[in-house]
Amino acid sequence: MADVEWPGERLIAAAREGDAEATAALVSGSHPHVQRFAYSLCASPQDAEDAAQEALIILYRKIGMLRASGALASWMFRIVRNECLRRSRAVLRGHGPLPDTAVAPSFEDDVLRRLEADRVAEAIAALPADQRRVLIMRDIQGYSGRTTADTLGLSTAAMKSRLHRARATVRETLRRSPLDPAWGGDHD
């Protein structure tokens, strides 16, 4: 399967400036990536579809708020991740909202969601730069192994090794509880 590139910086810049055609093209071009994020992060295919649609709506409405064109992928990843977390928490709270009822998230749920999102971001940010780049290209941006290796000037074996170490480190960091003194988070 051929890699589909994220929309280019010119298109993103035009959309940020309010060009309606560029915004439509940006949303359309981002859809496969956003959908891939959602399917890898959400608990069910239905939640993934809903989260992807919500993320694309936010992209359409708030593209002018994006500060740097190169930040599109990470911005969309955060939106999808937050939407998947919100949906998971709703299910855990009571197997989802009852039909025709809206359940507003509690302050505690909001804090827990933010803490978890911050922990994931901190775990990725704490990786050595070479591992972080590989992890972001493969798992967040969705590039193939060959494309990632070629872009970073690595052999496929070296890329796979770095990706494995990065995933293992992030997984171990996330397994530790924020209440565990060995965890690296702020405790003030």
Side-chain angles (χ1 to χ4, degrees):
M1 182 163 131
D3 286 332
V4 177
E5 298 291 326
W6 277 90
E9 289 192 30
R10 285 186 182 159
L11 182 64
I12 295 169
R16 283 177 38 210
E17 295 299 318
D19 181 318
E21 287 182 28
T23 302
L26 177 63
V27 169
S28 177
S30 298
H31 183 258
H33 305 288
V34 169
Q35 195 169 36
R36 185 175 52 249
F37 289 163
Y39 273 92
S40 69
L41 295 171
C42 288
S44 71
Q46 181 60 43
D47 283 349
E49 284 296 325
D50 292 346
Q53 289 302 316
E54 183 65 26
L56 291 171
I57 289 168
I58 291 170
L59 172 62
Y60 180 80
R61 290 181 181 163
K62 298 187 177 186
I63 185 61
M65 297 175 66
L66 182 65
R67 292 188 180 161
S69 297
L72 178 64
S74 61
W75 187 47
M76 295 309 300
F77 179 78
R78 281 192 312 273
I79 293 169
V80 170
R81 179 196 62 213
N82 290 342
E83 186 63 21
C84 290
L85 283 170
R86 186 186 70 74
R87 290 174 180 284
S88 293
R89 297 229 191 292
V91 169
L92 292 174
R93 261 195 321 271
H95 305 292
L98 297 172
D100 298 326
T101 63
V103 178
S106 70
F107 176 75
E108 181 182 77
D109 289 337
D110 190 45
V111 168
L112 289 173
R113 180 185 54 78
R114 288 182 187 180
L115 176 62
E116 188 62 23
D118 288 347
R119 287 185 66 217
V120 171
E122 285 177 20
I124 293 171
L127 290 170
D130 60 333
Q131 292 179 24
R132 186 174 54 248
R133 282 191 293 268
V134 170
L135 182 83
I136 289 171
M137 287 187 74
R138 287 286 289 136
D139 292 349
I140 296 174
Q141 295 177 330
Y143 289 105
S144 70
R146 168 58 44 211
T147 300
T148 301
D150 289 347
T151 301
L152 297 175
L154 301 171
S155 68
T156 302
M159 183 278 305
K160 287 180 179 180
S161 176
R162 289 179 187 182
L163 180 61
H164 174 74
R165 285 193 308 265
R167 286 174 175 167
T169 300
V170 168
R171 190 172 21 256
E172 180 57 33
T173 300
L174 296 177
R175 275 193 188 124
R176 290 182 276 181
S177 165
L179 302 176
D180 180 350
W183 183 62
D186 294 332
H187 302 290
D188 295 334

